[in-house]
Amino acid sequence: MPDADAPAAGLDFRALLDRGEGARAVAFRLGGELHGCDIRLVEEVVTKRAVHPLPDVPPHLLGVLLLRGEMVPVMDVAPALGLSLDAAVPSILVIGLGDARLGVAAEAVHEVLEVPADAIRPAPHTGGDRDAYVLGVARLKIGLVNLIDLAEILRERTTLDRGDPS
């Protein structure tokens, strides 16, 4: 399997899509819309587990997920896309970014998608923050899927929070 992924292994999702070769994505629902992120980010999906809230944290940090003895912070990325999370007990995409593990809350996680290059269209420009994160829209059997740069959303949200003294 490493041989098949070797040419794309060092590319971020944006660069992979820009090459015009298609991609594999994990589909999930957020704000009532279908989204897809780079499958290489997702370590696992956790469902039906409580997120434990923490005091005095930014609103996009929902709390922590206790996962095999590790406390994994869980973030709500919906506001970065101009959406709101609508799930009492969200499904959690556990994401690996460098040495860190973060959880991303979603209303539901669907399936792994094979996204052929000819199914991807440019994302419509909304004039908001969303434009920086939606890389394209794929028309697939499951429906229209917004392909998002989840790694960039998480990098910006976590970097901004570390540098914000308030």
Side-chain angles (χ1 to χ4, degrees):
M1 182 150 174
D3 296 321
D5 293 334
L11 296 176
D12 65 18
F13 198 45
R14 182 181 304 270
L16 190 62
L17 294 176
D18 286 346
R19 282 178 32 168
E21 296 179 13
R24 295 182 75 203
V26 176
F28 58 95
R29 190 164 296 282
L30 193 59
E33 299 178 359
L34 276 174
H35 298 275
C37 71
D38 189 346
I39 192 171
R40 298 170 300 171
L41 291 176
V42 181
E43 293 180 358
E44 62 184 296
V45 175
V46 179
T47 60
K48 300 177 184 165
R49 297 277 296 276
V51 174
H52 303 278
L54 298 172
D56 301 321
V57 296
H60 65 267
L61 181 58
L62 299 177
V64 294
L65 173 70
L66 299 176
L67 188 61
R68 293 183 293 282
E70 180 183 0
M71 292 193 317
V72 177
V74 177
M75 298 184 68
D76 178 5
V77 299
L81 298 168
L83 303 170
S84 59
L85 181 66
D86 185 25
V89 179
S91 296
I92 308 297
L93 295 163
V94 178
I95 306 295
L97 279 179
D99 294 334
R101 292 178 81 199
L102 297 168
V104 172
E107 292 153 14
V109 178
H110 293 281
E111 60 192 81
V112 174
L113 303 172
E114 296 291 338
V115 184
D118 63 355
I120 302 170
R121 300 290 180 261
H125 293 286
T126 63
D129 292 340
R130 179 182 179 110
D131 290 346
Y133 307 123
V134 179
L135 306 174
V137 178
R139 186 175 187 164
L140 303 170
K141 288 180 184 176
I142 192 173
L144 293 177
V145 179
N146 296 307
L147 301 173
I148 64 169
D149 191 344
L150 186 56
E152 185 62 22
I153 295 172
L154 294 174
R155 273 192 291 271
E156 285 188 11
R157 308 267 343 224
T158 55
T159 301
L160 288 174
D161 290 343
R162 273 188 245 124
D164 185 6
S166 57

PDB file of all heavy atoms in Angstrom, residues 84-119:
ATOM      1  N   SER A  84     -23.536  25.795  11.986  1.00  0.00           N
ATOM      2  CA  SER A  84     -23.617  25.461  13.405  1.00  0.00           C
ATOM      3  C   SER A  84     -23.806  23.952  13.534  1.00  0.00           C
ATOM      4  O   SER A  84     -24.477  23.324  12.723  1.00  0.00           O
ATOM      5  CB  SER A  84     -24.748  26.220  14.089  1.00  0.00           C
ATOM      6  OG  SER A  84     -25.981  25.913  13.485  1.00  0.00           O
ATOM      7  N   LEU A  85     -23.198  23.408  14.556  1.00  0.00           N
ATOM      8  CA  LEU A  85     -23.274  21.978  14.848  1.00  0.00           C
ATOM      9  C   LEU A  85     -24.636  21.675  15.447  1.00  0.00           C
ATOM     10  O   LEU A  85     -25.075  22.343  16.373  1.00  0.00           O
ATOM     11  CB  LEU A  85     -22.159  21.602  15.824  1.00  0.00           C
ATOM     12  CG  LEU A  85     -22.057  20.147  16.243  1.00  0.00           C
ATOM     13  CD1 LEU A  85     -21.675  19.270  15.051  1.00  0.00           C
ATOM     14  CD2 LEU A  85     -21.027  19.992  17.348  1.00  0.00           C
ATOM     15  N   ASP A  86     -25.306  20.655  14.924  1.00  0.00           N
ATOM     16  CA  ASP A  86     -26.639  20.291  15.406  1.00  0.00           C
ATOM     17  C   ASP A  86     -26.626  18.822  15.825  1.00  0.00           C
ATOM     18  O   ASP A  86     -27.133  17.964  15.114  1.00  0.00           O
ATOM     19  CB  ASP A  86     -27.673  20.541  14.317  1.00  0.00           C
ATOM     20  CG  ASP A  86     -29.092  20.293  14.805  1.00  0.00           C
ATOM     21  OD1 ASP A  86     -29.330  20.389  16.026  1.00  0.00           O
ATOM     22  OD2 ASP A  86     -29.960  19.994  13.969  1.00  0.00           O
ATOM     23  N   ALA A  87     -25.974  18.545  16.957  1.00  0.00           N
ATOM     24  CA  ALA A  87     -25.917  17.172  17.461  1.00  0.00           C
ATOM     25  C   ALA A  87     -25.735  17.202  18.967  1.00  0.00           C
ATOM     26  O   ALA A  87     -24.801  17.808  19.471  1.00  0.00           O
ATOM     27  CB  ALA A  87     -24.755  16.418  16.815  1.00  0.00           C
ATOM     28  N   ALA A  88     -26.650  16.544  19.686  1.00  0.00           N
ATOM     29  CA  ALA A  88     -26.527  16.475  21.151  1.00  0.00           C
ATOM     30  C   ALA A  88     -25.312  15.640  21.538  1.00  0.00           C
ATOM     31  O   ALA A  88     -24.545  16.013  22.415  1.00  0.00           O
ATOM     32  CB  ALA A  88     -27.797  15.893  21.754  1.00  0.00           C
ATOM     33  N   VAL A  89     -25.143  14.501  20.880  1.00  0.00           N
ATOM     34  CA  VAL A  89     -23.971  13.647  21.090  1.00  0.00           C
ATOM     35  C   VAL A  89     -23.311  13.484  19.720  1.00  0.00           C
ATOM     36  O   VAL A  89     -23.724  12.649  18.918  1.00  0.00           O
ATOM     37  CB  VAL A  89     -24.365  12.270  21.682  1.00  0.00           C
ATOM     38  CG1 VAL A  89     -23.128  11.400  21.868  1.00  0.00           C
ATOM     39  CG2 VAL A  89     -25.108  12.441  22.993  1.00  0.00           C
ATOM     40  N   PRO A  90     -22.314  14.309  19.447  1.00  0.00           N
ATOM     41  CA  PRO A  90     -21.718  14.278  18.105  1.00  0.00           C
ATOM     42  C   PRO A  90     -20.848  13.046  17.877  1.00  0.00           C
ATOM     43  O   PRO A  90     -20.346  12.434  18.819  1.00  0.00           O
ATOM     44  CB  PRO A  90     -20.863  15.548  18.086  1.00  0.00           C
ATOM     45  CG  PRO A  90     -20.514  15.788  19.515  1.00  0.00           C
ATOM     46  CD  PRO A  90     -21.691  15.311  20.304  1.00  0.00           C
ATOM     47  N   SER A  91     -20.693  12.691  16.617  1.00  0.00           N
ATOM     48  CA  SER A  91     -19.660  11.740  16.220  1.00  0.00           C
ATOM     49  C   SER A  91     -18.358  12.522  16.200  1.00  0.00           C
ATOM     50  O   SER A  91     -18.351  13.721  15.922  1.00  0.00           O
ATOM     51  CB  SER A  91     -19.947  11.188  14.823  1.00  0.00           C
ATOM     52  OG  SER A  91     -21.141  10.446  14.827  1.00  0.00           O
ATOM     53  N   ILE A  92     -17.251  11.850  16.488  1.00  0.00           N
ATOM     54  CA  ILE A  92     -15.966  12.540  16.573  1.00  0.00           C
ATOM     55  C   ILE A  92     -14.991  11.920  15.581  1.00  0.00           C
ATOM     56  O   ILE A  92     -14.761  10.712  15.593  1.00  0.00           O
ATOM     57  CB  ILE A  92     -15.358  12.432  17.996  1.00  0.00           C
ATOM     58  CG1 ILE A  92     -16.358  12.866  19.065  1.00  0.00           C
ATOM     59  CG2 ILE A  92     -14.050  13.212  18.082  1.00  0.00           C
ATOM     60  CD1 ILE A  92     -16.801  14.298  19.008  1.00  0.00           C
ATOM     61  N   LEU A  93     -14.445  12.771  14.712  1.00  0.00           N
ATOM     62  CA  LEU A  93     -13.335  12.368  13.852  1.00  0.00           C
ATOM     63  C   LEU A  93     -12.067  12.638  14.650  1.00  0.00           C
ATOM     64  O   LEU A  93     -11.817  13.780  15.043  1.00  0.00           O
ATOM     65  CB  LEU A  93     -13.297  13.211  12.571  1.00  0.00           C
ATOM     66  CG  LEU A  93     -14.464  13.078  11.613  1.00  0.00           C
ATOM     67  CD1 LEU A  93     -14.472  14.256  10.639  1.00  0.00           C
ATOM     68  CD2 LEU A  93     -14.374  11.781  10.854  1.00  0.00           C
ATOM     69  N   VAL A  94     -11.281  11.614  14.932  1.00  0.00           N
ATOM     70  CA  VAL A  94     -10.021  11.813  15.640  1.00  0.00           C
ATOM     71  C   VAL A  94      -8.950  12.054  14.577  1.00  0.00           C
ATOM     72  O   VAL A  94      -8.713  11.205  13.718  1.00  0.00           O
ATOM     73  CB  VAL A  94      -9.668  10.613  16.544  1.00  0.00           C
ATOM     74  CG1 VAL A  94      -8.327  10.840  17.235  1.00  0.00           C
ATOM     75  CG2 VAL A  94     -10.774  10.397  17.576  1.00  0.00           C
ATOM     76  N   ILE A  95      -8.352  13.238  14.651  1.00  0.00           N
ATOM     77  CA  ILE A  95      -7.432  13.722  13.629  1.00  0.00           C
ATOM     78  C   ILE A  95      -6.019  13.741  14.187  1.00  0.00           C
ATOM     79  O   ILE A  95      -5.795  14.217  15.303  1.00  0.00           O
ATOM     80  CB  ILE A  95      -7.827  15.162  13.205  1.00  0.00           C
ATOM     81  CG1 ILE A  95      -9.297  15.237  12.767  1.00  0.00           C
ATOM     82  CG2 ILE A  95      -6.882  15.714  12.158  1.00  0.00           C
ATOM     83  CD1 ILE A  95      -9.645  14.461  11.545  1.00  0.00           C
ATOM     84  N   GLY A  96      -5.082  13.295  13.395  1.00  0.00           N
ATOM     85  CA  GLY A  96      -3.678  13.395  13.754  1.00  0.00           C
ATOM     86  C   GLY A  96      -3.032  14.537  12.988  1.00  0.00           C
ATOM     87  O   GLY A  96      -3.078  14.561  11.771  1.00  0.00           O
ATOM     88  N   LEU A  97      -2.489  15.493  13.722  1.00  0.00           N
ATOM     89  CA  LEU A  97      -1.767  16.622  13.119  1.00  0.00           C
ATOM     90  C   LEU A  97      -0.404  16.700  13.791  1.00  0.00           C
ATOM     91  O   LEU A  97      -0.297  17.181  14.911  1.00  0.00           O
ATOM     92  CB  LEU A  97      -2.504  17.938  13.320  1.00  0.00           C
ATOM     93  CG  LEU A  97      -3.651  18.261  12.395  1.00  0.00           C
ATOM     94  CD1 LEU A  97      -4.283  19.593  12.771  1.00  0.00           C
ATOM     95  CD2 LEU A  97      -3.201  18.304  10.955  1.00  0.00           C
ATOM     96  N   GLY A  98       0.607  16.196  13.116  1.00  0.00           N
ATOM     97  CA  GLY A  98       1.923  16.152  13.732  1.00  0.00           C
ATOM     98  C   GLY A  98       1.882  15.252  14.944  1.00  0.00           C
ATOM     99  O   GLY A  98       1.410  14.118  14.883  1.00  0.00           O
ATOM    100  N   ASP A  99       2.336  15.769  16.080  1.00  0.00           N
ATOM    101  CA  ASP A  99       2.327  14.994  17.323  1.00  0.00           C
ATOM    102  C   ASP A  99       1.005  15.108  18.073  1.00  0.00           C
ATOM    103  O   ASP A  99       0.799  14.428  19.072  1.00  0.00           O
ATOM    104  CB  ASP A  99       3.462  15.468  18.242  1.00  0.00           C
ATOM    105  CG  ASP A  99       4.827  15.165  17.662  1.00  0.00           C
ATOM    106  OD1 ASP A  99       4.937  14.215  16.869  1.00  0.00           O
ATOM    107  OD2 ASP A  99       5.780  15.881  18.005  1.00  0.00           O
ATOM    108  N   ALA A 100       0.132  15.979  17.622  1.00  0.00           N
ATOM    109  CA  ALA A 100      -1.120  16.234  18.333  1.00  0.00           C
ATOM    110  C   ALA A 100      -2.261  15.385  17.780  1.00  0.00           C
ATOM    111  O   ALA A 100      -2.266  15.018  16.607  1.00  0.00           O
ATOM    112  CB  ALA A 100      -1.482  17.711  18.220  1.00  0.00           C
ATOM    113  N   ARG A 101      -3.206  15.091  18.659  1.00  0.00           N
ATOM    114  CA  ARG A 101      -4.458  14.458  18.259  1.00  0.00           C
ATOM    115  C   ARG A 101      -5.584  15.373  18.691  1.00  0.00           C
ATOM    116  O   ARG A 101      -5.615  15.841  19.825  1.00  0.00           O
ATOM    117  CB  ARG A 101      -4.614  13.090  18.927  1.00  0.00           C
ATOM    118  CG  ARG A 101      -3.614  12.086  18.431  1.00  0.00           C
ATOM    119  CD  ARG A 101      -3.773  10.773  19.140  1.00  0.00           C
ATOM    120  NE  ARG A 101      -4.871  10.054  18.521  1.00  0.00           N
ATOM    121  CZ  ARG A 101      -5.519   9.047  19.099  1.00  0.00           C
ATOM    122  NH1 ARG A 101      -5.191   8.656  20.301  1.00  0.00           N
ATOM    123  NH2 ARG A 101      -6.485   8.422  18.475  1.00  0.00           N
ATOM    124  N   LEU A 102      -6.497  15.636  17.774  1.00  0.00           N
ATOM    125  CA  LEU A 102      -7.644  16.490  18.053  1.00  0.00           C
ATOM    126  C   LEU A 102      -8.898  15.775  17.591  1.00  0.00           C
ATOM    127  O   LEU A 102      -8.875  15.038  16.604  1.00  0.00           O
ATOM    128  CB  LEU A 102      -7.532  17.815  17.292  1.00  0.00           C
ATOM    129  CG  LEU A 102      -6.368  18.726  17.634  1.00  0.00           C
ATOM    130  CD1 LEU A 102      -6.256  19.822  16.596  1.00  0.00           C
ATOM    131  CD2 LEU A 102      -6.571  19.322  19.004  1.00  0.00           C
ATOM    132  N   GLY A 103      -9.991  16.037  18.270  1.00  0.00           N
ATOM    133  CA  GLY A 103     -11.274  15.532  17.831  1.00  0.00           C
ATOM    134  C   GLY A 103     -12.033  16.630  17.117  1.00  0.00           C
ATOM    135  O   GLY A 103     -11.947  17.800  17.490  1.00  0.00           O
ATOM    136  N   VAL A 104     -12.747  16.265  16.081  1.00  0.00           N
ATOM    137  CA  VAL A 104     -13.600  17.203  15.355  1.00  0.00           C
ATOM    138  C   VAL A 104     -15.024  16.667  15.438  1.00  0.00           C
ATOM    139  O   VAL A 104     -15.291  15.534  15.026  1.00  0.00           O
ATOM    140  CB  VAL A 104     -13.158  17.356  13.883  1.00  0.00           C
ATOM    141  CG1 VAL A 104     -14.157  18.184  13.095  1.00  0.00           C
ATOM    142  CG2 VAL A 104     -11.770  17.971  13.807  1.00  0.00           C
ATOM    143  N   ALA A 105     -15.917  17.479  15.990  1.00  0.00           N
ATOM    144  CA  ALA A 105     -17.310  17.074  16.169  1.00  0.00           C
ATOM    145  C   ALA A 105     -18.060  17.183  14.846  1.00  0.00           C
ATOM    146  O   ALA A 105     -17.894  18.145  14.097  1.00  0.00           O
ATOM    147  CB  ALA A 105     -17.973  17.964  17.218  1.00  0.00           C
ATOM    148  N   ALA A 106     -18.887  16.174  14.570  1.00  0.00           N
ATOM    149  CA  ALA A 106     -19.731  16.158  13.376  1.00  0.00           C
ATOM    150  C   ALA A 106     -21.094  15.595  13.758  1.00  0.00           C
ATOM    151  O   ALA A 106     -21.216  14.864  14.744  1.00  0.00           O
ATOM    152  CB  ALA A 106     -19.091  15.297  12.285  1.00  0.00           C
ATOM    153  N   GLU A 107     -22.092  15.943  12.992  1.00  0.00           N
ATOM    154  CA  GLU A 107     -23.430  15.410  13.254  1.00  0.00           C
ATOM    155  C   GLU A 107     -23.485  13.922  12.941  1.00  0.00           C
ATOM    156  O   GLU A 107     -24.178  13.166  13.621  1.00  0.00           O
ATOM    157  CB  GLU A 107     -24.460  16.188  12.433  1.00  0.00           C
ATOM    158  CG  GLU A 107     -24.585  17.616  12.930  1.00  0.00           C
ATOM    159  CD  GLU A 107     -25.045  18.593  11.865  1.00  0.00           C
ATOM    160  OE1 GLU A 107     -25.528  18.181  10.794  1.00  0.00           O
ATOM    161  OE2 GLU A 107     -24.913  19.802  12.123  1.00  0.00           O
ATOM    162  N   ALA A 108     -22.766  13.507  11.925  1.00  0.00           N
ATOM    163  CA  ALA A 108     -22.689  12.097  11.547  1.00  0.00           C
ATOM    164  C   ALA A 108     -21.461  11.921  10.660  1.00  0.00           C
ATOM    165  O   ALA A 108     -21.053  12.850   9.961  1.00  0.00           O
ATOM    166  CB  ALA A 108     -23.936  11.664  10.782  1.00  0.00           C
ATOM    167  N   VAL A 109     -20.881  10.726  10.712  1.00  0.00           N
ATOM    168  CA  VAL A 109     -19.793  10.377   9.804  1.00  0.00           C
ATOM    169  C   VAL A 109     -20.342   9.303   8.882  1.00  0.00           C
ATOM    170  O   VAL A 109     -20.975   8.343   9.339  1.00  0.00           O
ATOM    171  CB  VAL A 109     -18.554   9.873  10.568  1.00  0.00           C
ATOM    172  CG1 VAL A 109     -17.454   9.467   9.603  1.00  0.00           C
ATOM    173  CG2 VAL A 109     -18.048  10.953  11.525  1.00  0.00           C
ATOM    174  N   HIS A 110     -20.126   9.475   7.588  1.00  0.00           N
ATOM    175  CA  HIS A 110     -20.745   8.576   6.617  1.00  0.00           C
ATOM    176  C   HIS A 110     -19.802   7.486   6.128  1.00  0.00           C
ATOM    177  O   HIS A 110     -19.804   6.396   6.648  1.00  0.00           O
ATOM    178  CB  HIS A 110     -21.336   9.370   5.452  1.00  0.00           C
ATOM    179  CG  HIS A 110     -22.505  10.215   5.873  1.00  0.00           C
ATOM    180  ND1 HIS A 110     -23.766   9.709   6.058  1.00  0.00           N
ATOM    181  CD2 HIS A 110     -22.593  11.518   6.196  1.00  0.00           C
ATOM    182  CE1 HIS A 110     -24.592  10.669   6.465  1.00  0.00           C
ATOM    183  NE2 HIS A 110     -23.899  11.780   6.556  1.00  0.00           N
ATOM    184  N   GLU A 111     -18.993   7.766   5.169  1.00  0.00           N
ATOM    185  CA  GLU A 111     -18.204   6.723   4.530  1.00  0.00           C
ATOM    186  C   GLU A 111     -16.937   7.306   3.930  1.00  0.00           C
ATOM    187  O   GLU A 111     -16.774   8.520   3.870  1.00  0.00           O
ATOM    188  CB  GLU A 111     -19.027   6.042   3.438  1.00  0.00           C
ATOM    189  CG  GLU A 111     -19.478   7.012   2.347  1.00  0.00           C
ATOM    190  CD  GLU A 111     -20.533   6.426   1.426  1.00  0.00           C
ATOM    191  OE1 GLU A 111     -21.713   6.426   1.797  1.00  0.00           O
ATOM    192  OE2 GLU A 111     -20.149   5.991   0.328  1.00  0.00           O
ATOM    193  N   VAL A 112     -16.077   6.398   3.496  1.00  0.00           N
ATOM    194  CA  VAL A 112     -14.892   6.816   2.749  1.00  0.00           C
ATOM    195  C   VAL A 112     -15.315   6.949   1.291  1.00  0.00           C
ATOM    196  O   VAL A 112     -15.963   6.053   0.740  1.00  0.00           O
ATOM    197  CB  VAL A 112     -13.753   5.789   2.893  1.00  0.00           C
ATOM    198  CG1 VAL A 112     -12.586   6.155   1.991  1.00  0.00           C
ATOM    199  CG2 VAL A 112     -13.301   5.703   4.345  1.00  0.00           C
ATOM    200  N   LEU A 113     -14.967   8.073   0.698  1.00  0.00           N
ATOM    201  CA  LEU A 113     -15.356   8.354  -0.682  1.00  0.00           C
ATOM    202  C   LEU A 113     -14.152   8.324  -1.606  1.00  0.00           C
ATOM    203  O   LEU A 113     -13.098   8.855  -1.272  1.00  0.00           O
ATOM    204  CB  LEU A 113     -15.983   9.756  -0.773  1.00  0.00           C
ATOM    205  CG  LEU A 113     -17.192  10.045   0.098  1.00  0.00           C
ATOM    206  CD1 LEU A 113     -17.534  11.521   0.024  1.00  0.00           C
ATOM    207  CD2 LEU A 113     -18.370   9.190  -0.337  1.00  0.00           C
ATOM    208  N   GLU A 114     -14.334   7.723  -2.748  1.00  0.00           N
ATOM    209  CA  GLU A 114     -13.377   7.853  -3.845  1.00  0.00           C
ATOM    210  C   GLU A 114     -13.883   9.035  -4.657  1.00  0.00           C
ATOM    211  O   GLU A 114     -15.006   9.000  -5.170  1.00  0.00           O
ATOM    212  CB  GLU A 114     -13.351   6.585  -4.705  1.00  0.00           C
ATOM    213  CG  GLU A 114     -12.867   5.356  -3.978  1.00  0.00           C
ATOM    214  CD  GLU A 114     -11.385   5.399  -3.619  1.00  0.00           C
ATOM    215  OE1 GLU A 114     -10.615   6.149  -4.265  1.00  0.00           O
ATOM    216  OE2 GLU A 114     -11.004   4.697  -2.674  1.00  0.00           O
ATOM    217  N   VAL A 115     -13.095  10.088  -4.740  1.00  0.00           N
ATOM    218  CA  VAL A 115     -13.517  11.304  -5.423  1.00  0.00           C
ATOM    219  C   VAL A 115     -12.719  11.445  -6.717  1.00  0.00           C
ATOM    220  O   VAL A 115     -11.555  11.857  -6.689  1.00  0.00           O
ATOM    221  CB  VAL A 115     -13.308  12.553  -4.534  1.00  0.00           C
ATOM    222  CG1 VAL A 115     -13.850  13.791  -5.230  1.00  0.00           C
ATOM    223  CG2 VAL A 115     -13.974  12.364  -3.177  1.00  0.00           C
ATOM    224  N   PRO A 116     -13.313  11.080  -7.848  1.00  0.00           N
ATOM    225  CA  PRO A 116     -12.584  11.230  -9.111  1.00  0.00           C
ATOM    226  C   PRO A 116     -12.423  12.702  -9.473  1.00  0.00           C
ATOM    227  O   PRO A 116     -13.270  13.541  -9.136  1.00  0.00           O
ATOM    228  CB  PRO A 116     -13.467  10.504 -10.131  1.00  0.00           C
ATOM    229  CG  PRO A 116     -14.816  10.393  -9.504  1.00  0.00           C
ATOM    230  CD  PRO A 116     -14.641  10.504  -8.021  1.00  0.00           C
ATOM    231  N   ALA A 117     -11.346  13.008 -10.150  1.00  0.00           N
ATOM    232  CA  ALA A 117     -11.043  14.400 -10.505  1.00  0.00           C
ATOM    233  C   ALA A 117     -12.166  15.043 -11.302  1.00  0.00           C
ATOM    234  O   ALA A 117     -12.475  16.224 -11.110  1.00  0.00           O
ATOM    235  CB  ALA A 117      -9.730  14.461 -11.280  1.00  0.00           C
ATOM    236  N   ASP A 118     -12.822  14.279 -12.185  1.00  0.00           N
ATOM    237  CA  ASP A 118     -13.859  14.876 -13.032  1.00  0.00           C
ATOM    238  C   ASP A 118     -15.160  15.161 -12.276  1.00  0.00           C
ATOM    239  O   ASP A 118     -16.067  15.781 -12.816  1.00  0.00           O
ATOM    240  CB  ASP A 118     -14.116  14.026 -14.274  1.00  0.00           C
ATOM    241  CG  ASP A 118     -14.650  12.631 -13.966  1.00  0.00           C
ATOM    242  OD1 ASP A 118     -14.736  12.256 -12.776  1.00  0.00           O
ATOM    243  OD2 ASP A 118     -14.971  11.912 -14.937  1.00  0.00           O
ATOM    244  N   ALA A 119     -15.256  14.732 -11.015  1.00  0.00           N
ATOM    245  CA  ALA A 119     -16.445  15.026 -10.201  1.00  0.00           C
ATOM    246  C   ALA A 119     -16.287  16.316  -9.409  1.00  0.00           C
ATOM    247  O   ALA A 119     -17.237  16.779  -8.795  1.00  0.00           O
ATOM    248  CB  ALA A 119     -16.713  13.868  -9.246  1.00  0.00           C
TER     249      ALA A 119
END
